[in-house]
Amino acid sequence: MELELLSLAYPPLIVFAAALLVLVLPRIAGFAVGALSLAAVLAISLVAPEGQHLAGTFLGFEVVPFYVDDFSRMVGLGLGFLGVCSVIYAYSSEASRTLVAFALVYVSSSIGAAFAGDWLVLLFMWELMAVTSTLVVWHYGGEAVRAGFRYALFHGTGGVLVMMAVAVHYVQTGTFVYTEAGIADGIPALLAVLGMGVNVAFIGFHTWLPDTYPRPHIAASVFLSVYTTKTSAFVLYRAFPVGGESDLSIYIAYMGGLMAVYGATFALLQHDMRALLSYHIQAQLGYIVAAIGIGSNLAVAGAMSHLFNNILFKSLLFMAVGVVIYRTGEEDLYDLGGLWREMPLTAIGFGLGALSITAIPGFNGYVSKGMIFDAANPHYYGQPEYQALYWLLWLGAIGTLLSFIKLGYYVFFHGESDLEVADAKPGQTVAMLGLGGACLLFGVWWQGLADLAPTIYGSDFAFSYSGGESHLHPYSPGHLETAGILTGVAAVAFVVVKKPLSKLDLGDPATVVYPATYYLSRWTMLAVTGAYAIVDAAVVGAVKRCYWVGNNPVLAVDAVARRLPLVDVDDRQPTDGGRPSTIHLRTSIGTSILLLTLVLTVILWLLVV
């Protein structure tokens, strides 16, 4: 009975209700309700029975709003645990009730997308996620408003592409419900990978990440750093699942490898701390995307494990950097230094996150990233066509190590601090150490992570691959040697490039899209408004003439006759006493568009009939 009740407890609705309560309850009570709602999501994810729940029909289409399997369970656990820590952090960081209410609605839509069992529900949650995350950005005001408009433009475009993919998928398959084959091959797959590529920061579609995430409130950055990108990476897996055998898989895999290198490279060139972390969202998503493209059992286990781990250590890093900004007011890492003495708890939180994301043995990133390396390496469990991808992932790993050596060195260890600042507040500390403890736990107790990972089975953690079957051995001598080589190369490289790197401040060439988009939007707006003005003038002029003709039929005939050759017309007294016939037409542009839409609809209907 309890399990049946849990299957009726729809996680997104619980969080959405909490968001409404945050607005009306006293601040501490509202935030407590928000944290408890996400704790409920964590509990439901852990114990809810597998299968389709709340299934039914909507407008005649079969829908499954709540679908639980090993994949959605793992994502739900990560999103729920992070949500609890994020609300605690937001409370301690003086985030407003309105911001947290927006953030919780955003979180609820992300959780809804993760637990969706069909493409129709996914579309609704996907669009709601785009709208609410934009509100989270806009709430801060200032530069965040312009960035939020650009953010909305990207995600609106991506959403349209995903919508088109789902529509064509339905035409081809006759159902919106998820199947083992994923999205239909051909045009639906191409549209889906492009639309989802916006949210998972494919190269060229990624500029919204470093543009947006450094600008809002520090607590907003924590929410934003996880929910859109990680949920979208999971949805990408739903479109291209293990065994789906899509023709696009190898291209997806290599896009992931390029993302790992590109993100790590531009992270190295950043002065802004949150911009650096934003580029590393792209880099770490690259590993997940590459593993989804490889599509083997080990690769998918690595993708989901790294997604889960990324939820933990990426949010932790944004929290630690957020505390530094909160206490010092500085965004530029080169304006800081020596803060470990002033902020030891924040330094510990940062260290736990940095050791995790850089895949140091003993931390969770080492385990999940090792799975992905092994799945790509032809000398382990990969295919020959992924040899170049394996080296791309290597380069990305070295770049990641370099970036976090740089960030930690200049913020916490370089020189003496000129600032006397307090350390993290109690709530901030609890949130950071909670996430850091989880990173350490799943690095040491890697079996717990492997138990959660789909496609890994049995007490000996077996998985199948093209050559047969094998078992996980993350701490084998070979794996430890690889980790040692990577760390050594990065440490030596940092010493060599430290000085020239501090003088570089190169922009991302992909940001050329901003002026291009601005002028395209401006010209489009001018074209639309110019065309509207012409049509408006023509319609109003025609109506005025018809009105005048109706009031002055004789004068109208005379006016026409005067234009004819060989016709003499006597002057006549106007019937209106000499006053000009006038008509006053006033309406708003919204009403005009509504009327024009109605007229066009009638015309189209007549044409169809």
Side-chain angles (χ1 to χ4, degrees), residues 323-572:
V323 173
V324 172
I325 296 168
Y326 177 75
R327 289 303 194 187
T328 67
E330 293 288 349
E331 299 268 4
D332 192 320
L333 62 93
Y334 290 112
D335 291 336
L336 299 166
L339 286 179
W340 72 271
R341 292 184 180 87
E342 304 291 332
M343 310 175 72
L345 293 174
T346 305
I348 290 170
F350 172 82
L352 291 170
L355 292 169
S356 299
I357 196 172
T358 53
I360 300 300
F363 293 86
N364 59 353
Y366 167 78
V367 179
S368 56
K369 198 174 284 188
M371 294 185 199
I372 297 171
F373 271 109
D374 287 355
N377 188 354
H379 298 293
Y380 275 91
Y381 310 111
Q383 297 297 311
E385 60 264 30
Y386 296 122
Q387 180 67 71
L389 174 62
Y390 174 70
W391 292 116
L392 286 172
L393 298 178
W394 251 77
L395 289 173
I398 293 171
T400 300
L401 276 157
L402 279 170
S403 299
F404 285 96
I405 293 173
K406 167 189 168 180
L407 181 55
Y409 174 76
Y410 282 108
V411 174
F412 293 104
F413 299 106
H414 175 63
E416 297 288 334
S417 175
D418 297 329
L419 304 170
E420 291 186 7
V421 294
D423 204 346
K425 296 172 74 172
Q428 293 170 331
T429 302
V430 168
M432 288 192 294
L433 295 185
L435 290 166
C439 291
L440 183 60
L441 172 67
F442 288 115
V444 175
W445 182 48
W446 62 269
Q447 296 90 342
L449 182 64
D451 274 334
L452 289 175
T455 69
I456 301 291
Y457 50 88
S459 59
D460 54 354
F461 307 108
F463 59 88
S464 59
Y465 72 106
S466 58
E469 184 178 288
S470 189
H471 310 273
L472 287 183
H473 297 288
Y475 286 96
S476 69
H479 289 98
L480 291 171
E481 180 184 355
T482 299
I485 292 171
L486 279 170
T487 305
V489 169
V492 172
F494 180 73
V495 173
V496 174
V497 304
K498 181 177 69 171
K499 189 171 183 178
L501 195 62
S502 65
K503 298 178 181 179
L504 289 176
D505 189 16
L506 301 178
D508 187 339
T511 54
V512 71
V513 72
Y514 292 153
T517 303
Y518 168 76
Y519 286 111
L520 177 62
S521 301
R522 185 170 183 271
W523 294 334
T524 303
M525 179 194 69
L526 291 174
V528 170
T529 55
Y532 176 83
I534 293 170
V535 172
D536 183 66
V539 171
V540 171
V543 171
K544 283 183 175 180
R545 288 183 176 87
C546 291
Y547 182 82
W548 185 83
V549 168
N551 282 340
N552 303 278
V554 176
L555 293 178
V557 172
D558 286 351
V560 173
R562 283 194 180 94
R563 298 176 182 274
L564 299 176
L566 305 177
V567 175
D568 294 326
V569 179
D570 295 332
D571 291 334
R572 297 179 184 274

Side-chain angles (χ1 to χ4, degrees), residues 540 583-588 591-592:
V540 171
I583 182 171
H584 300 282
L585 298 177
R586 294 183 182 274
T587 186
S588 67
T591 306
S592 300

